[in-house]
Amino acid sequence: MKLMDRLRKVFNSSGTPTVVEAEVFAPKMTASGKTVDINSALSLSAVYAAVRVLSETIATLPLSIYERTEGGKKIAENHPLNVLLHTSPNPEMTACDVRQVQMSHLLLRGMSYTQIIRLTTGKIAQLIPLLPQDMEMDRTSSGDLIYVYDDPDTGSERTFRSSEIWRISGLSWNGLVGLTPISLARESWGLSLAQEEQAAKLYSNGSQVPYTLEMETALSDEAFDRLQKSVASHQGSGNSHKPMILENGLKANTLGLSASDAQFLESRKFTVAEIARWFGLPPHMLADLDRATFSNIEQQSIDFVQHSIRRWLVRIEQSISRDLIRESERRRYFAEHKVEGLLRGDTQSRFNAYATAITNGWMSRNEVRVLENDNRVEGLDEFLVPLNMEPASAQRASAILEDVAALIVKKESAFLERAVKQKDYGAIPKFYEEHVDQVMNKLHVGREWASTYCSRQLDEVRHANNVKELTQEWKTTKPAQILRELTCETSNESYSVAL
């Protein structure tokens, strides 16, 4: 692309400066006399800390491709993008490396460009980050978006189609090109650099302890020269605590911090808050704990997730859907970060929350183990529900079922007591053979269960010393026993009873 062509693209149709304008025409020398570029900006501890905290936090969050299901979602473990986004996007970089580079570019340049290398089948094979300051967006004569890259390694110009670039934009006027934070914050960060230089020069002159020397008579020239040398030998931070020997009745009077010096130190604190504001970070994330307390630090950490990184996570996830997931798959698959680890409270708060979730039946014990980074244990996937919180329909069905079981037991007891009284013991086995159909119809159970039940009842009668006492016990305990057995067998099915 020719120079004049580049200059014509400095302003878009609305006259809004583009990223090219920010880099070419924005004056790097600020009003404070300091030059602000990437290296000088990162020499500010607050800027470096802000970029590091945001980029490393987001780079280390679990990022996966999920598949939508009828019950919600599940990780699409076999989707090829999961390996690229979670483990190794290219042979030379880990997923954490690539995502940290992307976030650093976004935070300082306002844009992130990543080359997409595909196989002949269209499957994505590699993701390689590119330098945003060497990239420009353009359109073909047909209106298609293309990317023009001045490759710093080869010195040649390369053109990419939109399908070959994964683009993430920061705050933008047109939705395509992000504003450049380092250009917008140039004056603010330049002032911070000037303050750092002033502080360094101030301490190079001998710590911040101004003092005066006082005596009643004038010094001779020789004594004055010796005094000057003595004072000079105590200048510099390395000499600030050496004792000074005073001659001829000299008195040293130390002076308090001047108003201007105190204001200067206060402005240094304000610099950290100012830089935190540029990056949308709570100050405590940059080690500014002036207004942080043990009571609000947890809430500030939650604010960090909700107001500092969530906007970046949404931008990244939506750009993945646009540039990496096939259009035909977007209704089925989507990308999502897991931020639960950042929202963890203290141990007691977490365990209290887990206990509430488990006892109220909306989390299983194995789900809690996964959140605590423990392995699943067989038998802990079942959801627990307090007995007094069973659905009303289920309680009513249980009550009806127990009543029906009581009627069946009552019928058995009446027949047995009558047969024993008449000493018609041979009628008892025949009764239970015919009773199988009654049990099946009344309880809506299968023949196998009804036959087993009747056989068990007949065995109890045969081994009973007193049938009347046995039937009295049945009337008290047997209906509840039948209910437990049926509930256990049909715990995952709806159960209906015909009276």
Side-chain angles (χ1 to χ4, degrees), residues 415-416 418-434 458 461-462:
F415 175 82
L416 291 173
R418 186 170 59 254
V420 170
K421 186 176 181 179
Q422 297 174 358
K423 296 184 180 181
D424 188 7
Y425 302 113
I428 296 177
K430 185 177 180 181
F431 166 80
Y432 274 107
E433 287 180 8
E434 297 174 352
L458 183 59
V461 172
R462 287 171 174 169

Side-chain angles (χ1 to χ4, degrees), residues 404-405 407-409 411-412 430-447 449-451 453-454 498:
V404 173
L407 292 175
I408 291 176
V409 173
K411 180 178 181 180
E412 293 178 39
K430 185 177 180 181
F431 166 80
Y432 274 107
E433 287 180 8
E434 297 174 352
H435 193 52
V436 171
D437 291 331
Q438 291 287 327
V439 173
M440 289 175 56
N441 294 332
K442 293 294 183 182
L443 294 180
H444 282 207
V445 296
R447 178 169 294 278
W449 191 96
S451 298
Y453 167 79
C454 290

Side-chain angles (χ1 to χ4, degrees), residues 3 8 26 41-42 48 66 74 90 118 221 233 244 252 311-312 318 323 351 363 365 379 417-418 444-445 458-459 468:
L3 177 60
R8 291 189 187 100
L42 288 175
Y48 179 86
Y66 287 84
K74 66 177 182 179
N90 62 67
R118 300 179 186 269
D221 292 342
S233 68
M244 180 179 289
R311 52 193 172 128
W312 292 114
Q318 292 185 353
D323 295 334
F351 287 2
M363 285 186 73
R365 289 161 288 178
E417 291 172 5
R418 186 170 59 254
H444 282 207
V445 296
L458 183 59
D459 286 342
K468 187 172 182 61

Side-chain angles (χ1 to χ4, degrees), residues 267-303:
S267 68
R268 293 275 293 156
K269 292 183 179 179
F270 174 76
T271 295
V272 177
E274 179 77 359
I275 291 174
R277 191 178 298 117
W278 275 106
F279 286 99
L281 282 172
H284 82 275
M285 298 300 296
L286 302 184
D288 182 0
L289 304 178
D290 282 356
R291 293 177 176 81
T293 65
F294 287 109
S295 61
N296 70 7
I297 198 71
E298 183 176 347
Q299 184 57 46
Q300 289 191 45
S301 297
I302 294 174
D303 289 341

